Every structure is written in structure tokens, then in C-alpha cells.
Amino acid sequence: MFAMIDNKEHLQRRKLFAQQCSNTSVLKYEPFIRGLADVLVKKIIRDAKANTADLFKWFLFFTADVTGQVSFGKTFDMVEKEEVSTIHLDAAKSV
């Protein structure tokens, strides 16, 4: 969408995405994101106490779960399960 040259096509594509980015739409995800962030922080603190905190891993899991919820209406449960989802593993293998 960002590299589009045709202004008319860009406008049509932008309209499709605009609704998801509205303030009202974003605010409806706040309770989910806050709840997931609380779980994330607890797990990072737990790992930090054991000197094993991997922030890259945790933020990858968090980002994937939020993206899944916003895009598909279902989280990948990576923060909860503490592992990469099979969907992400399959996608990485196909590249």
C-alpha cells in the first residue's frame, strides 16, 4: 500500500485499512492488550529473577498475539504457551 504509484488504487486500499485504524476500533482492543501486557510483564519478571529473561522472544510473542487478535480475531497464544505457534514455524519454513 505504501509503495503504490496509482493514486486512485492507493485511495481505495487506504479506505479498506482506515476503519481498522480508527480511534474507536483501536480502543476496543485496549482491554485485551492491557491484559496480555500484564501477563507478559509477570513472565519477564519471573525470567529476570532466574537471569533468563529474553526480551526479544517475549516481545516477538506479544507482537504476534496482538497482531493475531487484531487481524484474525484470535490470538496465537504465544505469550501464554511460551512458545512459537506452529503457524509461525510453518510460515518461516516456507520463506
Side-chain angles (χ1 to χ4, degrees), residues 53-68:
D54 181 349
L55 294 180
F56 178 80
K57 173 189 84 173
W58 285 116
F59 287 122
L60 173 74
F61 290 177
F62 180 79
T63 303
D65 282 350
V66 171
T67 301

Side-chain angles (χ1 to χ4, degrees), residues 1-2 14 30 64:
M1 179 172 107
F2 297 107
R14 185 174 172 195
E30 185 176 4

Side-chain angles (χ1 to χ4, degrees), residues 21-38:
C21 297
S22 73
N23 196 36
T24 303
S25 182
V26 170
L27 286 175
K28 78 178 182 180
Y29 294 108
E30 185 176 4
F32 166 76
I33 294 170
R34 284 185 183 273
L36 188 62
D38 288 343

Side-chain angles (χ1 to χ4, degrees), residues 19-86:
Q19 186 177 4
Q20 277 296 97
C21 297
S22 73
N23 196 36
T24 303
S25 182
V26 170
L27 286 175
K28 78 178 182 180
Y29 294 108
E30 185 176 4
F32 166 76
I33 294 170
R34 284 185 183 273
L36 188 62
D38 288 343
V39 173
L40 175 74
V41 168
K42 288 176 184 170
K43 291 186 179 216
I44 291 171
I45 290 170
R46 177 202 65 201
D47 288 358
K49 288 178 179 176
N51 292 321
T52 61
D54 181 349
L55 294 180
F56 178 80
K57 173 189 84 173
W58 285 116
F59 287 122
L60 173 74
F61 290 177
F62 180 79
T63 303
D65 282 350
V66 171
T67 301
Q69 185 65 40
V70 171
S71 300
F72 309 114
K74 185 176 184 326
T75 179
F76 295 110
D77 292 323
M78 291 170 61
V79 170
E80 190 64 40
K81 293 179 180 176
E82 301 186 21
E83 62 186 21
V84 176
S85 73
T86 55

Side-chain angles (χ1 to χ4, degrees), residues 87-95:
I87 292 171
H88 285 82
L89 290 174
D90 292 343
K93 289 176 187 174
S94 70
V95 175

